[in-house]
Amino acid sequence: MEVQRDIEAMREAARALRQQRGSLAFVPTMGNLHDGHMALVAEAQCRAPAVAVSIFVNPMQFNDARDFAAYPRTLTEDMALLEAQDVDLLFAPAAEEFYRRPLEQSTRVVVPGLSEILCGAYRPGHFTGVATVVNKLFNIVHPNVALFGEKDFQQLLLIRRMVEELALEVEIVAVPTVRERDGLAMSSRNRYLDEEERRRAPALYRILCEAAEAVASGRRDYAALEAQGMARLERAGFRPEYFAIRRAADLELPAKEESGALRILAAAWLGRARLIDNVAVPAPPPEGR
Ligand code: PAF
């Protein structure tokens, strides 16, 4: 695996790889890789003959300096995992290489609306940091296809919208959330859970699934279901931020008789860990069955 740390060398290496192999898939990450990331890499390898990964803990998307400082950095282990999975190219820039001016003076990409709701309401500036770093990574790597996990569903929609509205030439592929055996979505933040919290954590997914089943079975009292979801999370020991039933296409509030797909999303604290997860509402069985 070729490793690049500066922008110009990475641009050149990605260009050469794209030319040699015909197309390039890209998986942006913040490192501390787990099976969820490796599923993105495996899907990338199915989509293109060459795969590039980035590892960059992006300071612009952290609205809390302590959270940024504490974020797990495990580059040596991450590189061993990527090497073992035959990744072709890794970009692992230092923060001073990636942002050459102080952050508050740096150019940024704003996706209005989607950036301000749900997680964006609790983490001001977060999605602007995400859109900016992903846009810049795309400009360096020029991938044909880029892969993002559905666990960060709001991030996925934000990237899709940015790509569409800025007419970027990259296909965005969504990869389903990878879960532990008990249902907990894999996340670098799970390592903040102590033993007791880890035992409780799968309740987040269970409570989301129960709400999804209620909607699939015909309930349309979304506000009541959301309040119920919040109360259940509290009873399970979480400090929930939101529990929201939204249109899957744009995360807007659904109409009473919504015909499009729905998604249920939640964010909740368990001890030191802020967990997020989401589920699709299963489609109703076809008429007449
Ligand atoms: O999902 C992540 O790990 C990050 O938000 C991303 C997309 C790599 C941007 O820093």
Side-chain angles (χ1 to χ4, degrees), residues 17 42 57 119 125 132 150 159 161 206 228 243 255 277 283 286:
L17 200 52
V57 184
C119 281
T132 303
E150 284 186 346
I159 303 292
R161 186 169 298 175
R206 271 202 308 278
Q228 218 171 68
F243 189 95
D277 203 350

Side-chain angles (χ1 to χ4, degrees), residues 6-8 95-103 106 136:
D6 76 73
I7 290 175
E8 284 317 318
E96 315 76 66
E97 164 67 10
F98 201 82
Y99 295 114
R100 295 190 182 155
R101 301 163 69 94
L103 281 186
S106 295
K136 186 160 177 176

Side-chain angles (χ1 to χ4, degrees), residues 8-20:
E8 284 317 318
M10 179 62 190
R11 196 194 296 285
E12 201 34 61
R15 191 191 341 259
L17 200 52
R18 218 174 31 248
Q19 269 168 8
Q20 279 159 21

Side-chain angles (χ1 to χ4, degrees), residues 110-118 120-121 127 154 158 161 250 252:
V110 180
V111 180
L114 254 184
S115 292
E116 290 131 33
I117 58 172
L118 305 174
F127 286 117
Q154 186 172 1
L158 176 107
R161 186 169 298 175
D250 55 11
E252 295 288 337

Side-chain angles (χ1 to χ4, degrees), residues 28-30 58 61 130 133-134 148 152 155:
T29 81
M30 296 207 298
N58 171 32
Q61 70 187 73
V130 171
V133 75
V134 172
F148 292 85
D152 297 293
Q155 168 174 284

